[in-house]
Amino acid sequence: MRVQSDPGPFPGRRPPARVPASVLWGAVAALLLTLLGGWAVTTRAGADPAGPAAPGPATGRLALPWPMGGQASVADTGSGRSGSSGEQKPVPIASVTKVMTAYVVLTRHPLKPGEPGPTVTVDQRAQDESHSLSESTARVEAGQRLNQRQLLEMLLLPSGNNVARLLARWDSGSERAFVARMNRAAADLGMTRTTYTGASGFEPTTTSTSDDQLRLARAVMRDPVFRDVIATRESTIGGATGTVANTNRLLGTAGIVGGKTGSSTPAGGALMWAAEPGRGARPGLILGVVLHQLPHTTPATGMQAAFEATERLAVAARQGVRR
């Protein structure tokens, strides 16, 4: 889906809209827990607030409505419990790839909350790619000057493939060199079934599993700037870009406070997401990844299936992790 920008100029940037604190849970979650299947969980004592890098031995079961197909993984970082469904074989992940792109950029160019970061000048290639009819893009013009924070918003909210490649060239000189950094970062995180072949996820040869992407979610959610960006509904960039909106329509639903969408014909629908726990739960977040929902249909059909699967998981998980 292409980004739609407001037509007029935008002097300055207004504060991004934030996700409301209120959440949905209760009778629906209780019904889901009664009717739907099981969640094999793991427990680790003294878990890091951002969650362990890998699950421990299984010690119990908690009901979760896992999707009928594809893969899904969920972790409660407050208790250390985690579980997954589906065969953990590498599948295309589409624009969920951009989470690793942001992770590498923020690791090599860390920002503090509120900092704009260094300025990047848009090149002709990024402008040309912004007119693509076959990819999700963010509108930019050659010579436009954008700061790192703005580029991260354009990467993660409207899922600009052209911005992913622009960031790669800015960081490493070429997308190929940047992709090598992505794969090294994946190896460092223990993502043994993941292969990145581009910075955007447009290539179906970029593959991973929900368990591997959950490892990445645990790592990247430690970064407050990343958390802030994915919790943003829209942001005014100004200039040729106008306003960009978040493609994650579940923000504010079932406690969901952020995430990254991905969809393509080979990948189906995919979503990495984070939700606040329900009342009475330990501090932390519920992190989840849903992959390969209705692949080989249409991107819109797959994405709708991923949204529906995620909402069911988030509602039930928030109910199930209460203490």
Side-chain angles (χ1 to χ4, degrees), residues 214-278:
L214 187 60
R215 288 176 180 265
L216 175 58
R218 285 167 161 160
V220 74
M221 287 299 289
R222 293 186 173 98
D223 191 301
V225 172
F226 179 85
R227 293 197 306 269
D228 186 56
V229 170
I230 64 170
T232 303
R233 289 190 183 277
E234 64 176 28
S235 181
T236 298
I237 305 300
T241 306
T243 297
V244 294
N246 200 323
T247 58
N248 180 11
R249 66 172 178 80
L250 293 184
L251 278 176
T253 300
I256 291 175
V257 294
K260 181 67 194 80
T261 59
S263 62
S264 69
T265 298
L271 182 62
M272 180 187 289
W273 53 274
E276 294 175 337

Side-chain angles (χ1 to χ4, degrees), residues 43-322:
T43 302
R44 175 173 293 188
D48 184 280
T59 59
R61 297 190 68 82
L62 179 67
L64 273 191
W66 295 110
M68 295 291 290
Q71 306 173 22
S73 299
V74 177
D76 167 25
T77 68
S79 69
R81 293 182 175 183
S82 64
S84 63
S85 70
E87 183 181 358
Q88 293 294 308
K89 64 179 181 180
V91 295
I93 63 172
S95 286
V96 172
T97 298
K98 295 182 177 77
V99 176
M100 179 59 86
T101 301
Y103 178 74
V104 172
V105 168
L106 284 167
T107 298
R108 290 172 48 76
H109 310 276
L111 293 179
K112 294 179 181 178
E115 283 186 343
T119 298
V120 179
T121 299
V122 175
D123 59 19
Q124 187 64 46
R125 182 172 176 182
Q127 175 183 309
D128 292 344
E129 290 176 353
S130 74
H131 300 298
S132 172
L133 299 178
S134 61
E135 302 183 57
S136 60
T137 63
R139 184 179 176 185
V140 293
E141 289 183 350
Q144 186 177 1
R145 292 173 63 79
L146 299 163
N147 62 53
Q148 181 184 340
R149 169 66 188 236
Q150 291 173 316
L151 289 169
L152 288 170
E153 291 172 348
M154 296 163 69
L155 173 78
L156 296 170
L157 302 187
S159 201
N161 286 358
N162 58 327
V163 174
R165 299 177 190 123
L166 175 62
L167 279 168
R169 294 192 295 274
W170 168 69
D171 174 88
S172 301
S174 69
E175 185 179 5
R176 180 176 180 179
F178 186 82
V179 169
R181 296 187 192 280
M182 295 172 72
N183 284 306
R184 285 196 293 271
D188 290 343
L189 291 172
M191 299 167 65
T192 59
R193 297 185 177 183
T194 297
T195 303
Y196 292 103
T197 60
S200 69
F202 182 71
E203 302 82 1
T205 47
T206 288
T207 58
S208 187
T209 66
S210 61
D211 278 355
D212 269 10
Q213 290 300 305
L214 187 60
R215 288 176 180 265
L216 175 58
R218 285 167 161 160
V220 74
M221 287 299 289
R222 293 186 173 98
D223 191 301
V225 172
F226 179 85
R227 293 197 306 269
D228 186 56
V229 170
I230 64 170
T232 303
R233 289 190 183 277
E234 64 176 28
S235 181
T236 298
I237 305 300
T241 306
T243 297
V244 294
N246 200 323
T247 58
N248 180 11
R249 66 172 178 80
L250 293 184
L251 278 176
T253 300
I256 291 175
V257 294
K260 181 67 194 80
T261 59
S263 62
S264 69
T265 298
L271 182 62
M272 180 187 289
W273 53 274
E276 294 175 337
R279 294 179 182 177
R282 297 174 182 173
L285 287 173
I286 299 169
L287 303 178
V289 179
V290 173
L291 297 180
H292 221 220
Q293 299 301 296
L294 298 184
H296 310 298
T297 55
T298 67
T301 299
M303 197 65 248
Q304 177 64 26
F307 282 139
E308 292 174 357
T310 294
E311 187 171 4
R312 289 192 296 268
L313 286 170
V315 169
R318 296 180 70 246
Q319 178 77 7
V321 300
R322 290 186 189 178

